[in-house]
Amino acid sequence: MEDILVLIEKHGSEIATIMFCGIHYYTGQLFDMQAITKAGHSKGCFVGFDLAHAVGNVELCLHDWDVDFAAWCNYKYMNGGAGCAGGAFIHEKHSETDKPKLSGWWSNREETRFEMSKNIDLSPGIEGYRISTPSIMAIIPLKASLEVFNKTSMSDCVSKQVLLTGYFEYLLNKTLVKSVVEPGKPYINILTPSDPKQRGCQLSLVFSIPANQVQVELNKRGVTSDKREPDVLRFAPFPLYTRYNDVYRLVYAIQDAMNATKLN
């Protein structure tokens, strides 16, 4: 994180727009978006974030952090399914700013949309960036997920997430990290920061044995994992539907898969 702020301090006067991830897709590291925004603004930069791995995963206060813009997909932690509608944010201070954009009839104010004027009556803010009618089939799963989210709060979700992912990390450190007593035993390293304030649900595991073979063995045991080259598997115990027992069973499924991989 510090190297990002140092880079902005050093080169910010040469940068027009900073676009960074809220959570890194590979490592699972959560970045201090408020600090990055403040540093960027101090150098006159616009600051925006890709929140694909952050939305629905961690608490976001984009307006209060003074973030200029953000965009995200909703098929990950928002549970909308592949191909569902995405989301975007523009700070209200830019709501009347007419920057170059792709626009369509859905960008027009709702009140005058069906007048079919030759000149667009642009909606203020992020609504002016919409192009066309969203797919109903892409909206329905997201709507259902949001109804579940509305039964709780992000602060409650994050509180459980810290405990779930912390429990996951504890079990991994207890059973699968490199052993001095058993030097030949296959092991994992946790790539994701240990500090709960620097991560969301996700832990990225680096394997001492071929991760693709571990993944095959996990599939045999009914565990779906996500591989990223060369040797990382990502796991994310999401609080809305993951139990502590699920995490316990997962860790021992990983251990079993690693032992089977070693034997092969």
Side-chain angles (χ1 to χ4, degrees):
M1 178 63 201
E2 289 302 319
D3 55 340
I4 298 169
L5 299 180
V6 168
L7 188 146
I8 294 173
E9 176 63 29
K10 184 176 180 179
H11 298 289
S13 59
E14 306 165 32
I15 299 171
T17 301
I18 296 170
M19 178 68 175
F20 207 71
C21 55
I23 292 181
H24 195 277
Y25 82 99
Y26 193 88
T27 67
Q29 181 178 358
L30 169 63
F31 295 98
D32 188 338
M33 289 173 265
Q34 185 174 19
I36 292 172
T37 302
K38 183 178 180 180
H41 285 172
S42 73
K43 296 294 182 177
C45 309
F46 282 100
V47 183
F49 292 94
D50 170 1
L51 300 179
H53 292 265
V55 68
N57 184 6
V58 296
E59 290 195 81
L60 298 170
C61 304
L62 302 180
H63 180 275
D64 293 343
W65 296 341
D66 207 25
V67 173
D68 293 299
F69 65 94
W72 59 89
C73 56
N74 284 310
Y75 75 84
K76 295 184 178 74
Y77 297 101
M78 296 304 294
N79 311 298
C84 74
F89 165 87
I90 290 179
H91 198 281
E92 67 176 6
K93 66 185 178 183
H94 302 306
S95 62
E96 300 298 333
T97 303
D98 189 18
K99 297 290 185 183
K101 63 172 70 69
L102 293 174
S103 59
W105 81 294
W106 213 249
S107 311
N108 201 97
R109 292 178 187 268
E110 185 176 358
E111 298 81 2
T112 58
R113 186 174 298 153
F114 286 92
E115 292 179 6
M116 304 299 183
S117 171
K118 293 181 180 179
N119 300 312
I120 190 169
D121 182 12
L122 191 67
S123 298
I126 195 62
E127 292 186 354
Y129 286 76
R130 298 181 302 178
I131 297 174
S132 188
T133 315
S135 165
I136 296 298
M137 299 306 294
I139 291 292
I140 290 173
L142 181 57
K143 180 178 182 294
S145 176
L146 289 171
E147 289 172 353
V148 176
F149 269 101
N150 283 337
K151 293 180 179 180
T152 181
S153 66
M154 276 310 301
S155 61
D156 286 343
C157 282
V158 169
S159 294
K160 185 181 177 184
Q161 170 248 100
V162 169
L163 295 174
L164 273 173
T165 303
Y167 180 52
F168 186 28
E169 181 185 37
Y170 166 78
L171 291 177
L172 290 171
N173 284 328
K174 188 176 177 65
T175 59
L176 296 178
V177 295
K178 193 171 184 178
S179 172
V180 177
V181 180
E182 301 177 82
K185 176 185 174 183
Y187 61 90
I188 59 99
N189 286 319
I190 302 174
L191 191 60
T192 310
S194 184
D195 181 1
K197 294 180 180 179
Q198 295 185 58
R199 69 186 186 198
C201 300
Q202 175 185 331
L203 290 184
S204 297
L205 310 185
V206 184
F207 287 78
S208 66
I209 53 180
N212 59 325
Q213 294 180 29
V214 176
Q215 186 177 43
V216 169
E217 293 296 332
L218 283 171
N219 288 340
K220 293 177 183 178
R221 290 157 178 78
V223 177
T224 301
S225 57
D226 183 83
K227 184 176 183 295
R228 287 294 177 266
E229 296 294 343
D231 53 6
V232 168
L233 293 182
R234 305 184 302 177
F235 300 90
F238 187 59
L240 281 188
Y241 47 74
T242 306
R243 302 168 298 178
Y244 294 98
N245 186 51
D246 296 326
V247 173
Y248 180 88
R249 291 168 58 206
L250 168 61
V251 171
Y252 286 95
I254 295 172
Q255 184 180 47
D256 193 31
M258 290 174 69
N259 290 335
T261 300
K262 182 185 177 184
L263 291 173
N264 291 336

